[in-house]
Amino acid sequence: MSGRVRGWVAVICCAGCAGWAGCGAEKPASAPLPATKFAVAPPVEPASAAVARAATPEVAPPPPVATVPRLAVSPGASTLEPGDPGVQFRATWTPEGADAAWRDVTAASRWSVEPRTVATIDAGGYLTPLASGKATVVARHDGASVRAEVIVESGGDSAARGWDFGQDIVPILTRAGCNVGGCHGRADGQNGFHLSLFGYDPAGDFQAVARDGGSRRVSRFDPEASLIVLKATGQTPHAGGPRIQMNTPEYATLVGWIAAGAPERAGKSHGALARLDLEPAAARLIEPGPVQMRVLATYADGHVRDVTRMAIYRVLDDGSAKIDGRGTAALSRRAEADLVVRYQSKVVSARLATLINPDLKYDFKARKHANFIDDELFKRLEALKVPPSPAAPDAVFLRRVALDLTGETPNPERVREYLADKDPEKRVKLVDKLLASRDFHRFWLLKFGDLLQISTRRLGNGSSYYMMWLEKRLNEDAPWDQVVRSLLTAVGEPETRDGGAANYAFDGADPKVAAELTAQRFLGLRIRCAQCHDHPFDVWTQDDYFGMAALFAKASATANMSGRRIVKINDAGMVEHPRTHQAAEAKLLGGAAVRTSKGEDPRKALAEWITRPENPFFARATVNWVWAQMFGKGIVDPPDDLSRSNPAVHPELLDALARHFVAHHFDLRDLIRTIATSEAYALSSATVPGNERDTRFFSHQWPRPLTSHQIVDALAQATDVENRFQNRPRGTRALDIVDPATPSAILDVFGRCSRDVGCASVATPQLSLRQSLLLIGGDVVQNKVAHPRGYLANLLALDPQPEEIVENLYLRTLCRPPTPEETSRWSAELKQAGSLSDAAEDLFWALLNSREFTFNH
């Protein structure tokens, strides 16, 4: 290797990639799941809007012909019942002529309330009740004023209210951080005081606070001297420091509860928390700035309580937004950001956004739309004023779709043929040709093998029969719902030709593991946290978790008398619930109980529910996973986390894909074709002014490293030097190494999933120093480049012109012809080189180490 190589690498990575992006040196546990129908339906008013209106009716909107009011306040009218902590008011300012965009002026307004004996209101618009009566709230801003009415029923009188420890006290402990994992919510508690994590077990927490230790933590005779009060306020030594400030509503509620006898329940109760709503659920702002949120809790009896100051908040992108404990959010730049709000067992989210490029001049109507994907995506980009990149050049598209559908790069002959083709439908025809190839099935078999974690190390000899069964189903284009039903209900011997699907039961022989794997793989739900406590970031309870696990309890995966493994139904199978120490009742996630007769498999009810067209998770999880394979990230990302705290960046597009998938009978090939033939998929990875910072909206393709199998095969194909795999015949491709138990150092270095534990949803390896050293400093690439029977040696034997060398090496590596500038530069280098062979090796080596070669763009 000549001394020029290091400099050539830097030049190739810039000049060789000219114009290419990336170059540069919770719901109630007993409630049924929403029955989402994937069909076109008229718009339906969001539930949150109905709840807010019913509980806190707003000032009647102006007639359609009138001008939008400049200053508005919400709620327009409200009633506080005994025990309600207060009301958070919001003030918004809409410029004349604006229709959807507005500015939140809650903090910038001047607030007052009359009479002051009924309630007080702070500078942030939060009203605290003092006494029974009717009050008028006035908000003033920029010369305008708006009034709102408030009725307070028995405000400030703790004797007039009912008490419910779970609804009144647990939220205070949660907000103060008393029941988090680092404090009293840890498994063994803290200093002898144990609370359930995030308050998932109110009954147990009541016992710990009010009864344990001879009720030493509460003093009914002197409530303010109660140990829990003194500790929480820092009046007595407390390792956690002060958690509740004195003379606050939280302090008054805690002391009032103790004064009332520290009951678990007393007087009127509104029942369990039924729903949580957020106002606004979506906000389109004129410009970056603050937004005051309102959090509304609806209880079993229909009562709505403002819990804005009791909720827990976080933002998913702290580079774009922030939010404080009072529910005041703020966009720090022109962007879109998701807020996640948790109150007790419920989780909701809201989306804040501004126009990204308010002065953008772009004709969205001129963009070609290939299918509904483009309709949804471009509509969203237009609404946010984010310009899409142009379509990728033919050579780039050819390489991209070949890698995504078959895992291999096109050879030079195919590149030349495709570039010379003038057929306007050639991209669609290319997709169809790739989908019909054997390599399509082989490459996607690898993906599904990762999804299902099929390996010899996990399943022994059964893994080969498992892969044979799965490959047959893919070759037959079996609908995905049928494949999943077969996996979930299979019985028999997994180490036989007809028993491959039964290996799924051995993969999760423990019912709890089976429940976790099934929920994550097929529903995109991570329920593992709910094994020990209610899920802190989703709606799943501990009862949901063990109800799901109990569905697998009767599937016995054991060895028979002759040592052969077998899956059969065992009526005695059960899962013990850790809280009740009784057999957990089998039930669907968040749904009804499943009762079976003797010899009946409860997994059949689960399989039927999962694959039902109206299941709100199955279709979404599948299309999101497939989308991630094609774009490097999901519409929900990570793709296997469709929790309430991880909203889709484009819910309309996700729903449209799910409806299409259901309407086409869960046809995976059709789904992949629909995505691959969309204009959205064909967008260039090169950014344009206005979408340079976009990593969220899919306005351009995102360059991603080749997978381990892709890059190993690409190196062999470019150099005409085959890879060698232990105990495999010569000529075996990496694509054919479907079992990670087959030794291969290079596949491991480039991030092959071992399948011992869960694989990443997208097989995109993390870049590492080991990879760089292997490519640049190791002999893997160099040996292939300088191989005496490799491509370059055979090419130089033909005595080609320097221009021919440059063209052929570019086609072999980057799957495109060199630009005129690249041809001129490298031809000159070759002509003046002391050794043509060394110089050609340097160029070849540099191209194989370039970002354009090692990335799919």
Side-chain angles (χ1 to χ4, degrees), residues 127-340:
L127 179 141
T128 302
L130 297 177
S132 299
K134 184 176 181 179
T136 300
V137 173
V138 180
R140 296 179 174 86
H141 178 74
D142 199 18
S145 64
V146 178
R147 297 172 179 267
E149 302 299 325
V150 178
I151 297 175
V152 179
E153 299 178 354
S154 301
D157 185 0
S158 62
R161 61 170 294 171
W163 290 103
D164 186 319
F165 179 83
Q167 306 301 338
D168 299 319
I169 305 303
V170 169
I172 295 175
L173 301 177
T174 303
R175 174 66 177 243
C178 302
N179 54 23
V180 298
C183 197
H184 299 287
R186 60 192 292 180
D188 55 350
Q190 187 88 316
N191 296 326
F193 182 30
H194 177 254
L195 294 171
S196 62
L197 188 67
F198 299 116
Y200 80 91
D201 181 14
D205 292 344
F206 171 76
Q207 185 72 24
V209 172
R211 298 292 183 264
D212 285 356
S215 302
R216 71 186 185 91
R217 296 187 177 92
V218 296
S219 173
R220 297 175 179 83
F221 301 104
D222 189 357
E224 292 186 341
S226 297
L227 181 62
I228 191 171
V229 174
L230 297 177
K231 288 273 190 178
T233 55
Q235 297 178 74
T236 194
H238 181 218
R243 309 307 300 175
I244 299 174
Q245 299 298 315
M246 299 180 67
N247 302 318
T248 62
E250 294 80 8
Y251 177 84
T253 299
L254 183 58
V255 170
W257 169 70
I258 298 173
E264 186 170 9
R265 292 183 186 84
K268 180 183 178 181
S269 173
H270 297 298
L273 177 62
R275 188 172 65 246
L276 194 66
D277 296 286
L278 199 55
E279 180 190 313
R284 178 68 57 79
L285 305 179
I286 298 173
E287 57 190 14
V291 179
Q292 178 61 56
M293 311 303 297
R294 294 186 68 223
V295 186
L296 305 173
T298 302
Y299 295 88
D301 66 350
H303 177 63
V304 178
R305 175 178 290 178
D306 189 315
V307 294
T308 304
R309 295 284 175 99
M310 302 300 296
I312 307 297
Y313 303 91
R314 70 187 179 106
V315 295
L316 299 186
D317 179 7
D318 55 10
S320 300
K322 60 183 180 180
I323 190 167
D324 63 20
R326 297 187 172 191
T328 304
L331 274 176
S332 55
R333 62 183 179 88
R334 290 198 171 275
E336 182 180 82
D338 291 311
L339 310 177
V340 176

Side-chain angles (χ1 to χ4, degrees), residues 205-496:
D205 292 344
F206 171 76
Q207 185 72 24
V209 172
R211 298 292 183 264
D212 285 356
S215 302
R216 71 186 185 91
R217 296 187 177 92
V218 296
S219 173
R220 297 175 179 83
F221 301 104
D222 189 357
E224 292 186 341
S226 297
L227 181 62
I228 191 171
V229 174
L230 297 177
K231 288 273 190 178
T233 55
Q235 297 178 74
T236 194
H238 181 218
R243 309 307 300 175
I244 299 174
Q245 299 298 315
M246 299 180 67
N247 302 318
T248 62
E250 294 80 8
Y251 177 84
T253 299
L254 183 58
V255 170
W257 169 70
I258 298 173
E264 186 170 9
R265 292 183 186 84
K268 180 183 178 181
S269 173
H270 297 298
L273 177 62
R275 188 172 65 246
L276 194 66
D277 296 286
L278 199 55
E279 180 190 313
R284 178 68 57 79
L285 305 179
I286 298 173
E287 57 190 14
V291 179
Q292 178 61 56
M293 311 303 297
R294 294 186 68 223
V295 186
L296 305 173
T298 302
Y299 295 88
D301 66 350
H303 177 63
V304 178
R305 175 178 290 178
D306 189 315
V307 294
T308 304
R309 295 284 175 99
M310 302 300 296
I312 307 297
Y313 303 91
R314 70 187 179 106
V315 295
L316 299 186
D317 179 7
D318 55 10
S320 300
K322 60 183 180 180
I323 190 167
D324 63 20
R326 297 187 172 191
T328 304
L331 274 176
S332 55
R333 62 183 179 88
R334 290 198 171 275
E336 182 180 82
D338 291 311
L339 310 177
V340 176
V341 180
R342 186 180 188 276
Y343 180 73
Q344 293 184 266
S345 61
K346 306 301 176 189
V347 178
V348 292
S349 63
R351 180 158 291 163
L352 309 183
T354 60
L355 296 178
I356 308 300
N357 302 288
D359 300 322
L360 177 70
K361 305 297 182 184
Y362 184 86
D363 187 3
F364 282 90
K365 293 181 174 56
R367 286 301 303 239
K368 177 184 175 183
H369 290 213
N371 55 37
F372 69 89
I373 294 175
D374 305 321
D375 297 340
E376 294 293 347
L377 185 66
F378 293 152
K379 179 171 39 175
R380 177 84 183 285
L381 294 177
E382 183 175 12
L384 292 167
K385 290 199 171 184
V386 176
S389 292
D394 280 346
V396 172
F397 179 82
L398 170 63
R399 182 177 185 268
R400 177 192 302 168
V401 75
L403 283 168
D404 284 339
L405 297 191
T406 68
E408 294 199 315
T409 55
N411 59 40
E413 293 73 21
R414 196 171 188 181
V415 174
R416 289 189 176 99
E417 178 185 354
Y418 186 74
L419 295 181
D421 189 353
K422 303 303 180 185
D423 186 347
E425 298 297 318
K426 68 180 184 178
R427 293 195 175 190
V428 175
K429 293 179 179 178
L430 170 64
V431 169
D432 288 336
K433 184 176 181 180
L434 293 171
L435 288 171
S437 69
R438 174 185 177 273
D439 286 344
F440 167 72
H441 295 103
R442 296 297 290 172
F443 183 56
W444 282 78
L445 180 65
L446 279 172
K447 293 178 179 292
F448 283 104
D450 285 348
L451 177 68
L452 298 173
Q453 295 173 250
I454 303 174
S455 73
T456 302
R457 284 190 289 265
R458 287 173 68 89
L459 298 168
N461 295 332
S463 66
S464 59
Y465 293 103
Y466 198 174
M467 289 300 291
M468 289 169 55
W469 177 87
L470 181 60
E471 184 174 17
K472 180 180 179 182
R473 303 302 283 153
L474 293 178
N475 289 338
E476 294 171 347
D477 288 328
W480 183 236
D481 62 327
Q482 292 183 14
V483 174
V484 172
R485 278 199 299 271
S486 297
L487 289 171
L488 291 178
T489 60
V491 293
E493 298 184 2
E495 296 176 1
T496 60

Side-chain angles (χ1 to χ4, degrees), residues 827-846:
S827 297
E829 291 283 350
L830 293 175
K831 290 175 181 177
Q832 67 183 15
S835 168
L836 178 62
S837 175
D838 287 348
E841 284 186 15
D842 286 353
L843 175 58
F844 202 8
W845 184 92

